[in-house]
Amino acid sequence: MSEDRGDGQRLFVGGEWVEPDAGHYAVTDPATEETVGWAPEASPEQARAACAAAREAFEGWSRTRPEERAALLGRAARIIRENLVPYADLARAETGATTGTARAMQVGVAAARFRRYATVEPAEWAIAPQINEAGPMGRAAVMGALAVRQPVGVVTCVTSYNNPWANPAGKIAPALAMGNTVVVKPAPQDPLSVYRMAEALEAAGVPPGVVNVVSARSVAVGEAVVASDDVDMVSFTGSTAVGRRIAEVCGRDMRRRLMELGGKGAALVFDDADLASAVAGIGTTFSFYSGQICTAPTRVLAQRGIYDRLVDQLAAYAGRLKIGDPAAADTVVGPVISHEHRARVESYVELGRKEGATVVAGGERPPLDRGFYVAPTLLADCANDMRVAREEIFGPVVAVIPFGEEDEGVALANDSDYGLIDYVWSGDVARAFRIARRLRAGGVGINTVGRNMEAPFGGFKKSGVGRDVGSYALHAYSEIQSLVWPG
């Protein structure tokens, strides 16, 4: 139940901090189960007002020089870096991420993304002249052309709970750099960090209405910011099920969309792989956000020659990881986001048992008095048709499936509704690259789970539509306009 609280967070609409119509609700620390703060519950009318404010601000903001927009993003990056510790402390409390993850991968990456788009890039490029054999006037003509990036307009950014800093920054920064205005609807579990980001942008000098933030648990608020007639584009990160509903709304109104959805990453480990590297990479599923990340290598395809050794080493790795207080320096695995989500993850582990999988690590709730913890869990003897191998669990759970020859491994990897990030481990780098080209995934990690933040990011199949990150995000948040003239 929401309630009115004078000390609660306010909405950010049209450059003003506004009291929410529907009161406030508690944001819970998943490690302590205590209240972190009070988030505002916007009404659908306030959500639509935010979209209207963004529409009103668009004309002025889109006409500013790119250098001015870049300078503002640079100032925002500096403010975020200067407040890294308190911002990261809040992110840790809201999400349950460890201190190291909150500082480096949440707040640190957010600052880096604002700094990245503070670099002005060319918004136009020449196209080679073309000789038209017979133009409209019946004679040959030489035509010149220029391709120009134009802002889309008002962008609704619906963000995920697993990273309330890097994910919104990855949408807001390139959208603003291109001259768009934004309405941000953060995940209801951890919206307070996004309001700190809005404060940083306000302090950096963002004009009223250019950035708006409205939070709520009510589905009606999310629907309002997606369906508003003032919105030209929706950028969404979240589940495929919700993404499908958003896509239906966008499709009816021919609204642009960028969608980064679910994943069930396949990690192919061949007989000649460096097993230590493979174990460390796959082990990030247990530690990084406690598996609450769509890029995690949660579906391991192990060639039979190394299957038993890989299972043994992964089980040992999982058993060594310190589970507990995210604020402690030696903690590796923190909690999942809520008690509801813990129950969901645990139900999948039990389902795996019923399907015939063998639980070789984890599978039981850690003996901690408080917090929504799930032990790193390894399921062996899996088959690719099991639900634990096909559905996104979004927790520290890894399923291992054996395969024989190369073609079988590739077929198993591609036998999935998802296609976000896959992985290949092999000592034969040429073979690894050859296999990567056969995988139906938007990205493939070769002997690594690391990412190049300038490489395009997005998925095949039900893992999403479009690409962002680096220069690709500038294209994602822009329309391409052709200017043509007689040469």
Side-chain angles (χ1 to χ4, degrees):
M1 178 180 295
S2 294
E3 59 182 277
D4 292 321
R5 295 187 64 89
D7 58 346
Q9 174 66 52
R10 294 176 179 175
L11 308 169
F12 190 54
V13 178
E16 301 290 335
W17 293 96
V18 180
E19 287 292 339
D21 286 344
H24 294 81
Y25 65 91
V27 175
T28 302
D29 183 333
T32 66
E33 303 184 42
E34 297 175 352
T35 297
V36 176
W38 295 88
E41 180 82 26
S43 64
E45 291 75 20
Q46 287 180 311
R48 286 187 282 270
C51 297
R55 170 60 59 198
E56 184 177 353
F58 172 68
E59 179 67 19
W61 178 249
S62 64
R63 291 169 65 88
T64 57
R65 293 185 306 112
E67 292 80 4
E68 293 179 38
R69 301 196 293 265
L72 186 147
L73 294 175
R75 292 193 296 273
R78 186 167 58 254
I79 292 167
I80 292 170
R81 288 294 305 176
E82 290 171 349
N83 291 278
L84 185 146
V85 172
Y87 285 169
D89 286 347
L90 175 60
R92 185 196 68 230
E94 283 194 289
T95 67
T98 63
T99 297
T101 295
R103 291 184 180 183
M105 302 307 299
Q106 295 191 351
V107 182
V109 170
R113 286 181 165 171
F114 277 102
R115 188 168 58 249
R116 160 67 178 86
Y117 295 106
T119 302
V120 178
E121 295 191 8
E124 56 187 44
W125 56 98
I127 297 171
Q130 176 183 340
I131 300 176
N132 292 345
E133 295 295 336
M137 305 304 293
R139 61 180 182 273
V142 178
M143 304 302 295
L146 194 67
V148 180
R149 283 200 302 250
Q150 298 278 21
V152 177
V154 175
V155 181
T156 287
C157 303
V158 183
T159 66
S160 60
Y161 73 73
N162 59 344
N163 196 326
W165 278 94
N167 185 256
K171 300 177 186 297
I172 297 169
L176 296 186
M178 280 308 309
N180 302 286
T181 56
V182 299
V183 177
V184 186
K185 165 60 175 66
Q189 296 93 333
D190 51 10
L192 300 178
S193 288
V194 183
Y195 286 107
R196 301 292 82 74
M197 188 181 299
E199 288 176 357
L201 284 161
E202 183 185 36
V206 69
V210 171
V211 175
N212 306 270
V213 184
V214 288
S215 59
R217 295 172 298 178
S218 169
V219 173
V221 170
E223 292 173 343
V225 295
V226 167
S228 168
D229 290 338
D230 287 311
V231 171
D232 300 292
M233 174 180 173
V234 176
S235 177
F236 171 70
T237 300
S239 72
T240 297
V242 175
R244 184 182 289 113
R245 295 199 294 271
I246 291 174
E248 289 171 354
V249 174
C250 291
R252 286 197 298 269
D253 295 324
M254 297 300 171
R255 192 165 291 141
R256 289 279 302 277
R257 66 191 187 277
L258 176 63
M259 315 199 84
E260 195 265 285
L261 307 177
K264 191 69 177 178
L268 285 88
V269 185
F270 287 88
D271 287 346
D272 62 350
D274 178 342
L275 288 193
S277 172
V279 168
I282 295 163
T284 61
T285 301
F286 302 136
S287 57
F288 194 45
Y289 299 124
S290 296
Q292 298 167 110
I293 185 166
C294 52
T295 59
T298 57
R299 187 168 54 110
V300 177
L301 307 176
Q303 201 163 20
R304 286 190 171 85
I306 49 87
Y307 177 85
D308 289 337
R309 281 188 293 147
L310 182 62
V311 169
D312 289 345
Q313 290 184 31
L314 281 171
Y317 184 94
R320 291 194 299 268
L321 301 178
K322 167 73 181 302
I323 308 168
D325 179 7
D330 60 343
T331 293
V332 179
V333 182
V336 296
I337 193 67
S338 65
H339 66 88
E340 295 91 349
H341 190 58
R342 177 178 62 185
R344 179 180 183 274
V345 174
E346 290 176 338
S347 73
Y348 268 105
V349 175
E350 183 58 30
L351 175 63
R353 285 192 175 99
K354 292 178 179 177
E355 290 182 310
T358 302
V359 180
V360 293
E364 297 181 356
R365 189 175 296 184
L368 298 169
D369 294 335
R370 296 182 300 173
F372 312 127
Y373 292 93
V374 176
T377 299
L378 183 66
L379 303 177
D381 304 319
C382 294
N384 209 46
D385 60 354
M386 292 180 176
R387 286 180 60 191
V388 291
R390 303 199 67 82
E391 299 177 13
E392 186 175 39
I393 299 173
F394 222 59
V397 180
V398 171
V400 189
I401 302 164
F403 74 92
E405 298 303 315
E406 179 179 308
D407 286 348
E408 182 188 2
V410 171
L412 287 170
N414 287 334
D415 181 18
S416 173
D417 291 336
Y418 298 104
L420 187 58
I421 304 289
D422 285 345
Y423 304 88
V424 179
W425 269 275
S426 172
D428 184 341
V429 175
R431 176 172 73 162
F433 272 88
R434 184 183 71 247
I435 291 168
R437 294 294 299 271
R438 297 178 62 190
L439 298 177
R440 300 291 296 166
V444 181
I446 298 173
N447 293 325
T448 184
V449 293
R451 282 178 55 197
N452 182 322
M453 298 307 292
E454 287 297 312
F457 181 73
F460 289 12
K461 298 183 281 188
K462 293 181 181 179
S463 285
V465 177
R467 297 293 182 272
D468 67 359
V469 180
S471 296
Y472 297 89
L474 297 175
H475 287 281
Y477 292 97
S478 62
E479 296 278 14
I480 304 300
Q481 180 183 62
S482 298
L483 306 180
V484 181
W485 64 90

